[in-house]
């Protein structure tokens, strides 16, 4: 993809988030999609490309009344929508379509859905489920003790990830959990899967989000401030946590991040704002190291010293993240939304003068990764 | 350990390539595969080598010796398990890693030390026989 050749012109979340019992999962996709279309003053008829995850794209297209000439149903977990940005940029640049809608909706809390979004792995079903590893809190968390031992992370530092993100959430009116918490609060919350306490685990929410992308030449025809896609990366690693190559570093994170930074032609010093998907508190620590923001063994101290908190030199997860903002199950769309808000200058937790935002997501249990570099500088 | 079980663990759909592994577990053997071309040892079973793609692979019986690579102590109920219990990934002496439960010691961070030596044991659970691991040396 040519850097800055594609722009996000429409972006919105569902009208309500958190607990939305009145809408089924497909309707959450549609609610967010209609909000994103209204954001850039387009009608559904203007959409000729559709990407979505967790559903057959035909279901979403038909429900919204779309007739797309290009679809992408890549479904690699919560980072899928970040992957879609990459694929959509390539499709628009190749002339396969001109205006792409990316939709997410998930009834994670109310359960108004027919299936869970992630494809089940035969290896996981055969060789993990019999041992009791049946849900993300007992799978995604498994590498953490090895990471903590080999990368010098204490339980208090792990707790600090949640503490700092709650500080950001306090600035966001739409965040679900906004009350301040301390390290003692986090360590004293209910044990879920040692060393993970409840406040180190993501929320379980209903919600949706959608983006509209088109070529940079058309971007100024819309009422919104264009947010350009400067670089992208994606990677897949293993279908289940047991076969993650190295529990102290994500191969998928490294590959995806390296590709995005190279395409964007940026260094870490250029990054003003960072989103790293946080299904659980350890994931941003992997991201900080594997994307190269800190050296191996430094991420725990980096967060504990306050560098990612409001006023810090690397503002991270400024919506409060999956731990405090919301987490429907496939959170990547909300990380993108905050990246777009920051580049538009409209976030309630706005980083003054931010020009470059990196949005990095994880899919499955460290199974996949996707990264985009966004900028408001054409 | 039968007294710790609420009911049988979830029964997976068994794939043909894994039949030797589960049959051998009933006989008290931990089976792995090795590539005849590049000698890479691997798990889970596949009819080819994931390192080099060669289809010539042999099944062999592992020593059952392993070390504790990482774990969590789950406080969440799951079929066949009574919380709190450890879900672990162990590194086998031959190289591959596998998920298991650690038995024969307290399910505490004090007893479960990363890199501790382990030995496989087999336990019937429901219709399956699972390879579990216990400390190879006395635990504190």
């Amino acid at each position: 993809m040519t850097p800055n050749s594609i722009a996000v012109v429409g972006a919105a979340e569902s009208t309500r988030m958190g607990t939305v019992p009145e809408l089924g999962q497909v309707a959450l996709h549609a609610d967010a999609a209609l909000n994103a279309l209204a954001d850039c003053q387009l009608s559904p008829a203007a959409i000729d490309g559709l990407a979505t995850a967790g559903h057959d794209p035909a279901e979403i297209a038909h429900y919204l009344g779309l007739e797309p000439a290009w679809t992408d149903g890549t479904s690699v977990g919560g980072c899928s929508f970040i992957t879609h940005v990459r694929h959509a940029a390539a499709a628009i640049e190749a002339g396969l379509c001109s205006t792409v809608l990316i939709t997410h909706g998930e009834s994670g809390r109310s359960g108004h859905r027919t299936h869970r979004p992630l494809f089940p792995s035969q290896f996981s079903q055969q060789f993990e489920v019999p041992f009791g590893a049946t849900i993300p809190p007992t799978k995604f968390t498994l590498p953490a003790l090895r990471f903590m031992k080999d990368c010098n992370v204490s339980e208090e530092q792990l707790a600090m990830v949640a503490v700092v993100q709650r500080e950001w959430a306090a600035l966001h009116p739409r965040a679900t959990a906004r009350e301040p918490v301390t390290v003692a609060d986090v360590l004293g919350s209910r044990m879920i899967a040692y060393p993970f306490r409840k406040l180190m685990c993501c929320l379980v929410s209903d919600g949706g989000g959608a983006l509209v992308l088109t070529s940079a030449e058309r971007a100024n025809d819309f009422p919104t401030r264009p947010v350009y896609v400067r670089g992208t990366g994606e990677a897949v690693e293993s279908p289940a946590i047991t076969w993650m190559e190295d529990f102290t570093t994500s191969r998928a994170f490294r590959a995806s991040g390296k590709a995005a930074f190279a395409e964007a032609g940026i260094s870490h010093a250029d990054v003003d704002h960072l989103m790293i998907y946080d299904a659980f508190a350890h994931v941003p620590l992997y991201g900080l190291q594997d994307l190269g923001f800190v050296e191996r063994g430094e991420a725990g101290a980096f967060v504990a010293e306050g560098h990612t908190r409001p006023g810090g030199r690397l503002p991270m997860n400024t919506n409060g993240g999956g731990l405090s903002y919301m987490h429907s199950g496939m959170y990547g769309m909300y990380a993108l939304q905050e990246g777009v808000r920051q580049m538009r200058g409209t976030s309630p937790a706005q980083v003054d003068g931010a020009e470059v935002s990196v949005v990095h997501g994880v899919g499955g249990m460290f199974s996949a990764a996707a990264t985009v570099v966004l900028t408001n500088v054409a | 350990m039968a007294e710790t079980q609420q009911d049988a663990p979830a029964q997976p759909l068994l794939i043909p390539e894994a039949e030797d592994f589960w049959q051998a577990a009933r006989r008290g053997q931990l089976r792995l595969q090795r590539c005849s071309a590049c000698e890479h040892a691997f798990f889970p079973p596949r009819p080819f080598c994931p390192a080099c793609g060669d289809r010539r692979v042999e099944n062999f019986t592992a020593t059952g010796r392993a070390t504790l690579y990482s774990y969590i102590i789950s406080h969440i109920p799951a079929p066949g398990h009574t919380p709190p219990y450890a879900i672990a990934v162990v590194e086998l002496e031959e190289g591959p890693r596998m998920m298991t439960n650690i038995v024969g010691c307290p399910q505490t961070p004090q007893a479960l030390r990363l890199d501790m030596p382990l030995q496989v044991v087999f336990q019937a659970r429901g219709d399956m026989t699972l390879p579990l691991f216990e400390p190879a040396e006395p635990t504190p």
Side-chain angles (χ1 to χ4, degrees):
Chain A
M1 190 203 77
T2 309
N4 295 359
S5 64
I6 307 298
V8 177
V9 296
E13 294 166 349
S14 52
T15 308
R16 299 204 316 117
M17 292 192 319
T19 305
V20 192
E22 69 273 19
L23 291 180
Q25 188 154 289
V26 176
L28 285 166
H29 279 257
D31 178 49
L34 293 174
N35 286 344
L37 289 166
D39 182 54
C40 58
Q41 296 178 9
L42 280 180
S43 71
I47 297 299
D48 63 356
L50 173 70
T52 194
H55 286 270
D56 182 343
E59 174 148 67
I60 305 304
H62 176 262
Y63 193 79
L64 278 164
L66 307 178
E67 296 182 30
W70 173 88
T71 59
D72 178 14
T74 301
S75 203
V76 292
C79 67
S80 296
F81 314 100
I82 305 172
T83 313
H84 293 158
V85 170
R86 183 174 211 239
H87 296 182
I92 294 167
E93 196 167 32
L96 302 181
C97 53
S98 67
T99 312
V100 172
L101 174 68
I102 303 173
T103 72
H104 158 72
E106 198 160 2
S107 184
R109 184 165 197 85
S110 298
H112 296 316
R113 57 184 176 185
T114 56
H115 60 283
R116 291 183 63 86
L118 202 59
F119 296 121
S121 152
Q122 70 164 16
F123 276 180
S124 184
Q125 289 177 318
Q126 289 261 300
F127 300 111
E128 288 187 340
V129 168
F131 303 104
T134 54
I135 55 175
T138 50
K139 297 193 285 189
F140 216 152
T141 52
L142 254 169
L145 281 182
R146 170 57 59 184
F147 179 83
M148 291 166 72
K149 178 176 181 179
D150 290 7
C151 295
N152 314 310
V153 178
S154 67
E155 290 186 42
E156 289 74 15
Q157 289 173 339
L158 189 63
M160 271 300 286
V161 175
V163 170
V164 168
Q165 293 193 192
R166 190 61 66 84
E167 294 175 6
W168 286 113
L171 303 173
H172 267 267
R174 276 166 65 87
T176 296
R178 304 180 63 203
E179 291 297 311
V181 293
T182 64
V183 168
D185 292 334
V186 176
L187 293 178
S189 62
R190 183 162 57 90
M191 190 65 83
I192 301 295
Y194 173 83
F196 287 83
R197 283 76 165 179
K198 189 170 191 298
L199 291 177
M200 299 171 176
C201 304
C202 67
L203 301 163
V204 180
S205 318
D206 302 328
L211 297 173
V212 179
L213 280 74
T214 192
S215 64
E217 298 93 77
R218 291 181 60 209
N220 289 320
D221 299 342
F222 295 89
T224 50
R225 182 178 184 183
V227 175
Y228 301 97
V229 181
R230 183 161 167 177
T232 60
E234 67 182 295
V236 295
E237 181 170 341
S238 69
I241 196 66
T242 300
W243 297 282
M244 181 182 185
E245 189 171 270
D246 180 341
F247 276 16
T248 70
T249 173
S250 163
R251 190 184 84 200
F253 280 22
R254 298 195 312 271
S256 177
K258 186 177 178 185
F261 274 69
E263 187 173 68
I266 59 164
S267 70
H268 295 87
D270 297 320
V271 178
D272 302 309
H273 171 252
L274 177 62
M275 298 296 290
I276 299 179
Y277 192 127
D278 58 320
F280 295 89
H282 61 318
V283 184
L285 301 180
Y286 282 79
L288 285 167
Q289 293 185 182
D290 291 336
L291 296 182
F293 286 98
V294 299
E295 295 294 320
R296 178 182 170 90
E298 292 181 352
F302 187 77
V303 169
E305 287 163 8
H307 299 303
T308 62
R309 71 178 1 154
R313 62 183 156 101
L314 184 60
M316 181 176 76
N317 293 342
T318 54
N319 60 354
L323 298 181
S324 290
Y325 186 67
M326 75 90 71
H327 194 293
S328 55
M330 293 195 289
Y331 163 81
M333 175 56 80
Y334 307 94
L336 283 166
Q337 295 287 335
E338 177 66 6
V340 170
R341 284 192 294 262
Q342 288 286 347
M343 292 299 92
R344 286 178 171 182
T346 60
S347 172
Q350 186 61 42
V351 176
D352 288 341
E355 295 184 342
V356 174
S357 173
V358 169
V359 179
H360 177 80
V362 65
M365 312 295 121
F366 283 113
S367 302
T371 315
V372 295
V373 179
L374 302 173
T375 183
N376 49 29
V377 181
Chain B
M1 295 298 286
E3 71 279 3
T4 65
Q5 292 170 41
Q6 296 169 313
D7 47 28
Q11 299 284 309
L13 173 73
L14 298 180
I15 50 175
E17 304 91 273
E19 193 174 322
D20 178 70
F21 178 87
W22 292 113
Q23 294 278 353
R26 291 178 199 275
R27 303 192 302 270
Q29 294 180 334
L30 183 67
R31 299 284 273 176
L32 297 176
Q33 288 180 299
R34 183 185 291 122
C35 176
S36 301
C38 76
E39 302 198 339
H40 176 64
F42 60 92
F43 173 82
R46 263 160 287 199
F48 63 94
C49 172
C52 76
D54 200 290
R55 290 177 186 268
R56 291 170 297 164
V57 297
E58 57 170 353
N59 295 357
F60 71 100
T61 302
T63 62
R65 287 192 289 270
T67 55
L68 182 55
Y69 185 53
S70 198
Y71 69 93
I72 52 118
I73 301 172
S74 177
H75 290 245
I76 301 168
H81 299 275
T82 303
Y85 68 101
I87 300 174
V89 172
V90 300
E91 190 161 286
L92 302 173
E93 187 174 68
E94 293 81 3
R97 295 194 195 119
M98 62 183 298
M99 183 178 280
T100 188
N101 302 124
I102 308 298
V103 296
C105 71
Q107 305 292 286
T108 62
Q110 293 71 35
L112 296 162
R113 291 166 292 110
L114 293 191
D115 303 311
M116 68 193 283
L118 302 165
Q119 179 65 42
V120 71
V121 292
F122 291 89
Q123 290 188 1
R125 292 198 180 173
D127 293 335
M128 305 181 72
T129 298
L130 297 181
L132 308 179
F133 285 78
E134 63 182 15
E137 299 163 359
T139 55

